[in-house]
Amino acid sequence: MSTTRLIALDWGTTSLRAYRLGEDGAVLDKRSLPWGIMHLPAVDGGSRDAGFAKAFDAACGDWLRTTPDAPATPSIAAGMVGSAQGWREAHYVEIPLAVGDVGKQLTRVDLGAGRILHIVPGLLQRSVLPNVIRGEETQIVGALESYQGDDEILIGLPGTHSKWVRVQERRVTHFDTFMTGEVFAALSQHTILGRTMEHSEQTDHAAFERGLRVARSDEGRAGVLSNIFSSRTLGLVGELGAASQPDYLSGLLIGHEIAALQSTRQAAGCTASPRIILIGDDQLCARYQTALKLYGLEHIDIAPHATERGLWKIAGQAGLLG
């Protein structure tokens, strides 16, 4: 077995991903388990801590036991494992924050036998409407590894709760949250809009782009709450087939997200077109690329493996790699 330099965990609400990292952060092994913080393995008569310990052992215990330098192998985790419902609460760190300082305030969990699990903190943005990030801060660090300039970078993390993070001079200065993915799921599964929809594995690109264009049209100024009903009415008048309606609704919601993002940037005085980095599922990132380009945002990169790269980088910031 190649020398293990770091055990890195991406520990969320529904899943646990483990990485065995070697020299320079190379992924030597990885695995995924269903032991998110809301679904831990049962331990007879054990505490919740015992459930976390059992999940940790299932994820990487054999890596630690079979590695000759096991006692010296550090471990680090990011995600909801550090929330108030997690193994140990890693309190939020307030922004603005230098990207290089994320690893300077890790929370320690004593695993026994001289081993410590280090948990990455989330980020807090204090304002009239506070905002938080937990888990994405690690992906931000990983995505920025190959970008050395001080120009503004806008990092998009599309998903259930999409995040847009502004990085200026290597500092996280602002972020926005859009519940686009969760709203789409709720509308298409639990409202009257879903009654006429047929979900397909094939994307109707024309319907998706139609939704994007409506969001930025004169009709779109009525707002997303007004526009979404059109995913039903266009079907009723025969303009939009049942299999096209989900993609149309997706386009509407993502289009309104990008329009709102543009508005918040303009209100903050950000006039130049930023370099954009997307992190997430390939198909979802492709949808966002289409939306961003429709709004004139062309400088877009995709950051693969941002989580494991971020965990490696933060471990280095914390001095865990020697």
Side-chain angles (χ1 to χ4, degrees):
M1 180 179 289
S2 300
T3 300
T4 303
R5 292 292 311 281
L6 181 70
I7 301 298
L9 307 177
D10 176 17
W11 204 332
T13 302
T14 59
S15 65
L16 167 58
R17 295 181 178 86
Y19 303 90
R20 186 170 68 88
L21 304 181
E23 294 297 329
D24 299 320
V27 178
L28 305 176
D29 202 353
K30 60 182 178 180
R31 58 175 61 126
S32 180
L33 296 90
W35 305 128
I37 68 162
M38 302 305 291
H39 182 60
L40 295 170
V43 179
D44 291 339
S47 65
R48 184 167 168 80
D49 269 11
F52 277 107
K54 186 173 182 179
F56 177 86
D57 188 67
C60 57
D62 59 327
W63 293 340
L64 292 169
R65 285 189 293 270
T66 57
T67 304
D69 60 340
T73 303
S75 58
I76 189 170
M80 291 300 288
V81 68
S83 70
Q85 295 76 40
W87 198 348
R88 196 79 77 247
E89 185 172 8
H91 293 287
Y92 292 106
V93 178
E94 293 190 31
I95 67 166
L97 180 72
V99 174
D101 289 343
V102 174
K104 293 184 178 180
Q105 300 185 52
L106 304 186
T107 295
R108 295 159 58 95
V109 179
D110 189 347
L111 304 176
R115 294 186 184 137
I116 301 293
L117 174 65
H118 300 83
I119 301 181
V120 181
L123 303 183
L124 168 64
Q125 177 174 278
R126 290 194 185 275
S127 63
V128 175
L129 301 176
N131 215 336
V132 295
I133 274 178
R134 190 176 291 281
E136 292 92 348
E137 76 293 319
T138 298
Q139 294 176 301
I140 293 165
V141 173
L144 289 173
E145 183 181 17
S146 57
Y147 295 87
Q148 301 303 322
D150 290 332
D151 295 337
E152 179 192 1
I153 295 177
L154 186 63
I155 300 178
L157 302 104
T160 303
H161 298 164
S162 295
K163 304 285 186 179
W164 288 94
V165 183
R166 192 181 306 152
V167 178
Q168 297 169 298
E169 297 182 350
R170 310 294 292 180
R171 294 173 64 82
V172 177
T173 59
H174 180 86
F175 57 86
D176 296 291
T177 302
F178 297 89
M179 293 179 62
T180 307
E182 187 165 358
V183 170
F184 173 81
L187 290 174
S188 60
Q189 297 172 23
H190 302 292
T191 74
I192 195 170
L193 301 182
R195 298 290 181 88
T196 58
M197 290 182 179
E198 291 180 5
H199 294 272
S200 171
E201 294 183 0
Q202 299 297 319
T203 300
D204 186 332
H205 296 283
F208 175 71
E209 292 186 19
R210 183 175 185 174
L212 291 176
R213 295 183 187 282
V214 169
R216 70 190 301 264
S217 68
D218 290 339
E219 290 78 7
R221 294 176 183 173
V224 65
L225 291 179
S226 172
N227 288 174
I228 56 178
F229 194 56
S230 64
S231 65
R232 176 174 172 82
T233 56
L234 287 171
L236 293 177
V237 300
E239 289 191 31
L240 199 63
S244 300
Q245 290 172 31
D247 287 313
Y248 172 79
L249 178 61
S250 174
L252 268 180
L253 295 175
I254 292 175
H256 275 287
E257 176 185 331
I258 303 304
L261 178 68
Q262 288 280 67
S263 296
T264 60
R265 285 178 49 74
Q266 291 170 3
C270 301
T271 56
S273 180
R275 176 170 293 280
I276 295 174
I277 304 174
L278 293 178
I279 305 169
D281 173 80
D282 289 343
Q283 292 185 344
L284 190 54
C285 284
R287 286 181 179 247
Y288 274 78
Q289 279 184 296
T290 300
L292 289 164
K293 289 179 179 179
L294 184 65
Y295 278 81
L297 298 169
E298 299 281 350
H299 306 295
I300 305 168
D301 294 324
I302 305 294
H305 313 299
T307 298
E308 53 266 45
R309 289 176 178 174
L311 286 165
W312 173 264
K313 195 75 174 180
I314 290 171
Q317 294 172 2
L320 301 182
L321 301 177

